[in-house]
Amino acid sequence: MLDTQLQTQLSAYLEKLTKPIELVANLDDSSASNEVRQLLGQIAALSDKVSVVEEKRADFRQPSFLITPQGERHGPRFAGSPLGHEFTSLVLALLQTGGHPSKESQALLEQIKQLPDELHFETYYSLSCHNCPDVVQALNLLAILNPRIHHTAIDGGKFQQEISDRNIMGVPAVFLNGESFGHGRMTLAEIVNKVDSGAAARQAQSLSEQAPFDVLIIGSGPAGAAAAVYTARKGIRTGLLGERFGGQVLDTVDIENYISVPKTEGSRLATALRTHVEDYQVDVIDAQQAVQLTPAQERGGLHQLHTASGAILSAKSIILATGARWRNMGVPGEEEYRTRGVTYCPHCDGPLFKGKRVAVVGGGNSGVEAAIDLAGLVEHVTLLEFADVLKADQVLQTKLRSLPNVEVIVNAHTQEVLGDGQQVSGLVWKDRLTDTLHTLPLAGIFVQIGLLPNTTWLGEQIARNKMGEIIVDSRGETNQPGIFAAGDCTTVPYKQIIIASGEGAKAALSAFDYLIRTE
């Protein structure tokens, strides 16, 4: 199961264990159980603090195994082999169960320990999903810290019948006490706040009581992270507020054009960004959504930011780095069948459509790349492009057209998503040349039609163009003195990670210059 290199790396990690742990395996004689048996044996052979115990219980999935302190019976459980993207989740679960501390804030860890209710979480993941590990790791940590909380991470590829029975069309899919809890990426703070009913109000009150920031950065993607590092290095009081650290980078699989880093993954880059920010005195405020910005009434006054939780924060200067989100088709049925056949991540959800017919909407680079990836998994892919030609790079188009199970349709205007009330069953599109309507029977629709800036919450006081992008000058300043913007939410062309980072640094230097001249 584990090659020599992985075993060497894992052996080094297991040296960090401070207390013995048991891997309690619920196995049978199937090939899947034998794979897990082999994996656990390899892990136990690498450390004298790890032992394996086998049992057969009808109330747990087979194959599955519990990671628990020795002599106890609580902690995270994996159903299936946690390899692929989930191998990191397995390593973290081993380390944290064995006493290695989490890097999360002490306040959040204490909040988890105090949760009073008995909670049973189940998370379905796919081994190719790059969004799943964050959710699995967050829920594993809950189960490690609080014996009243239970979590099972389930490989959807090994338990296909459950995927079908629960109509799961996108991962990660989380269930709490048997009921749907959430789909897609969620941070630890978001999960805790969702199950702790009073958490949002307490946090809002605490945030509102904070002293004004010199600069408050809204958005914690590459632009926001770069801005935070630059302002903190100037020695000014910096706050960094965001819904999820890393932003859209977390939804990116491979990154090969970030200069000096030949290749990395989005989740890895997001972790590196956070680590860099936390090297400085930055007040990182996670899982908070900005809903209103009130500019200062006079130059040098305080701007106010309102959050969805009810918090009100004040700052002498603001940097807007709210990024962008996937553009929706805006057709009937799209919202109704989101996560039930309508999806935006081919890497995460592609394996769930194995052997089925799907469509990709969008003929740019992302759409064509999605169709190429999916063609190796599904029965057939239909790519629909609104324009009369594909917009993707020629090398991608050549590869796409060489695939026998892909059909390309141009001049196609998507009209409606069809479904049976539970999941997607088809897509209606109109030929723009003939106005003829066509219906495609299919099981999944992958939407890849570009991005929209996250700026609708700003209202009319911050000038934006017709696309919703914040209008900035060469210094990153908006039409409001003391309010700057950077990254994909602005009019700066070419939405690239490296450009967003540079624009974040520029906005930070401009904000600092504004502060010293104003004061």
Side-chain angles (χ1 to χ4, degrees):
M1 296 290 291
L2 302 179
D3 60 28
T4 302
Q5 182 179 359
L6 274 180
Q7 289 187 54
T8 301
Q9 293 173 346
L10 182 56
S11 178
Y13 282 124
L14 295 178
E15 290 178 2
K16 300 178 181 180
L17 298 178
T18 60
K19 59 184 181 181
I21 62 176
E22 288 182 338
L23 308 178
V24 184
N26 192 41
L27 307 174
D28 54 24
D29 296 327
S30 66
S31 60
S33 284
N34 287 331
E35 288 181 7
V36 173
R37 186 177 286 114
Q38 181 184 351
L39 173 64
L40 300 186
Q42 287 182 321
I43 295 172
L46 298 175
S47 173
D48 59 4
K49 286 189 170 66
V50 181
S51 58
V52 179
V53 177
E54 283 200 31
E55 63 181 12
K56 286 189 177 181
R57 292 183 52 175
D59 53 339
F60 291 120
R61 294 172 180 85
Q62 294 178 336
S64 70
F65 62 94
L66 176 72
I67 303 176
T68 181
Q70 192 174 63
E72 303 180 28
R73 283 296 184 271
H74 71 86
R77 178 179 291 273
F78 287 94
S81 299
L83 299 177
H85 284 290
E86 290 304 332
F87 185 68
T88 301
S89 302
L90 171 62
V91 174
L92 279 176
L94 293 169
L95 293 179
Q96 292 168 351
T97 302
H100 191 68
S102 167
K103 294 182 179 180
E104 297 289 343
S105 72
Q106 284 302 310
L108 184 56
L109 298 180
E110 287 301 318
Q111 184 182 354
I112 293 169
K113 293 176 183 178
Q114 298 302 318
L115 292 173
D117 297 327
E118 192 86 7
L119 305 174
H120 293 262
F121 286 100
E122 297 167 296
T123 303
Y124 290 88
Y125 64 85
S126 70
L127 295 179
S128 61
C129 172
H130 60 278
N131 285 328
C132 297
D134 282 355
V135 177
V136 170
Q137 291 164 23
L139 289 166
N140 280 349
L141 185 57
L142 265 68
I144 291 168
L145 295 175
N146 189 326
R148 294 178 292 276
I149 301 176
H150 312 271
H151 176 232
T152 302
I154 306 160
D155 178 2
K158 289 288 195 300
F159 295 90
Q160 286 282 348
Q161 190 59 50
E162 292 187 35
I163 293 287
S164 177
D165 291 344
R166 284 181 152 174
N167 292 315
I168 295 172
M169 306 297 290
V171 290
V174 182
F175 290 79
L176 172 58
N177 299 333
E179 300 294 330
S180 179
F181 178 78
H183 289 81
R185 186 185 291 274
M186 291 179 284
T187 66
L188 177 63
E190 286 174 325
I191 294 169
V192 173
N193 288 343
K194 197 170 179 179
V195 296
D196 185 353
S197 58
R202 293 195 303 271
Q203 187 176 21
Q205 181 178 353
S206 176
L207 289 174
S208 298
E209 292 171 354
Q210 291 204 36
F213 292 99
D214 291 319
V215 59
L216 177 60
I217 302 159
I218 306 168
S220 48
V229 168
Y230 267 74
T231 55
R233 285 174 61 86
K234 292 295 185 181
I236 59 179
R237 177 167 155 73
T238 300
L240 178 61
L241 179 145
E243 294 183 52
R244 53 176 189 154
F245 204 105
Q248 195 189 347
V249 164
L250 292 169
D251 300 324
T252 305
V253 182
D254 294 326
I255 298 170
E256 299 178 347
N257 57 359
Y258 196 84
I259 306 306
S260 84
V261 182
K263 184 173 182 176
T264 187
E265 297 175 351
S267 58
R268 186 173 299 177
L269 178 59
T271 299
L273 291 173
R274 180 154 198 152
T275 299
H276 197 175
V277 167
E278 290 177 345
D279 283 342
Y280 296 93
Q281 293 295 314
V282 177
D283 190 347
V284 178
I285 306 168
D286 281 326
Q288 291 290 320
Q289 179 185 6
V291 296
Q292 182 183 341
L293 176 62
T294 304
Q297 298 302 307
E298 57 185 27
R299 189 177 183 87
L302 293 177
H303 310 284
Q304 285 194 331
L305 177 75
H306 299 249
T307 73
S309 66
I312 302 175
L313 297 96
S314 300
K316 298 176 184 176
S317 64
I318 295 284
I319 297 176
L320 299 167
T322 49
R325 65 189 183 279
W326 290 114
R327 184 190 299 270
N328 294 327
M329 296 182 291
V331 300
E334 181 177 20
E335 285 300 319
E336 180 182 356
Y337 290 103
R338 185 186 294 267
T339 75
R340 294 191 290 169
V342 176
T343 179
Y344 302 82
C345 181
H347 301 285
C348 302
D349 300 334
L352 302 178
F353 296 88
K354 185 175 181 179
K356 300 178 180 179
R357 301 180 72 88
V358 303
V360 173
V361 179
N365 280 348
S366 60
V368 172
E369 288 173 351
I372 292 171
D373 289 344
L374 290 166
L377 294 170
V378 304
E379 177 188 344
H380 187 271
V381 181
T382 302
L383 186 143
L384 303 172
E385 165 57 38
F386 182 84
D388 57 358
V389 295
L390 299 184
K391 304 168 189 173
D393 296 341
Q394 188 57 49
V395 64
L396 293 175
Q397 293 190 43
T398 301
K399 173 63 176 176
L400 179 74
R401 295 183 188 279
S402 72
L403 300 174
N405 62 336
V406 175
E407 179 185 7
V408 176
I409 302 175
V410 296
N411 289 307
H413 187 189
T414 305
Q415 300 292 301
E416 183 179 3
V417 174
L418 304 177
D420 60 7
Q422 296 296 319
Q423 59 192 46
V424 165
S425 63
L427 175 68
V428 178
W429 64 276
K430 182 173 72 173
D431 188 320
R432 295 176 54 237
L433 300 180
T434 65
D435 283 341
T436 306
L437 292 177
H438 302 267
T439 300
L440 277 175
L442 42 77
I445 301 168
F446 293 80
V447 183
Q448 303 282 295
I449 54 176
L451 302 170
L452 285 174
N454 295 316
T455 60
T456 53
W457 62 278
L458 287 170
E460 301 298 325
Q461 297 192 72
I462 304 298
R464 294 175 289 152
N465 66 10
K466 64 180 181 180
M467 300 296 293
E469 297 169 326
I470 301 170
I471 299 171
V472 293
D473 63 15
S474 60
R475 299 175 63 253
E477 190 163 20
T478 70
N479 63 309
Q480 295 286 348
I483 298 181
F484 303 82
D488 288 2
C489 65
T490 72
T491 50
V492 171
Y494 312 120
K495 311 307 184 186
Q496 297 290 311
I497 296 172
I498 196 164
I499 293 174
S501 298
E503 291 296 311
K506 181 201 293 184
L509 294 173
S510 297
F512 177 71
D513 182 71
Y514 166 83
L515 289 172
I516 59 176
R517 294 179 185 277
T518 302
E519 293 178 354

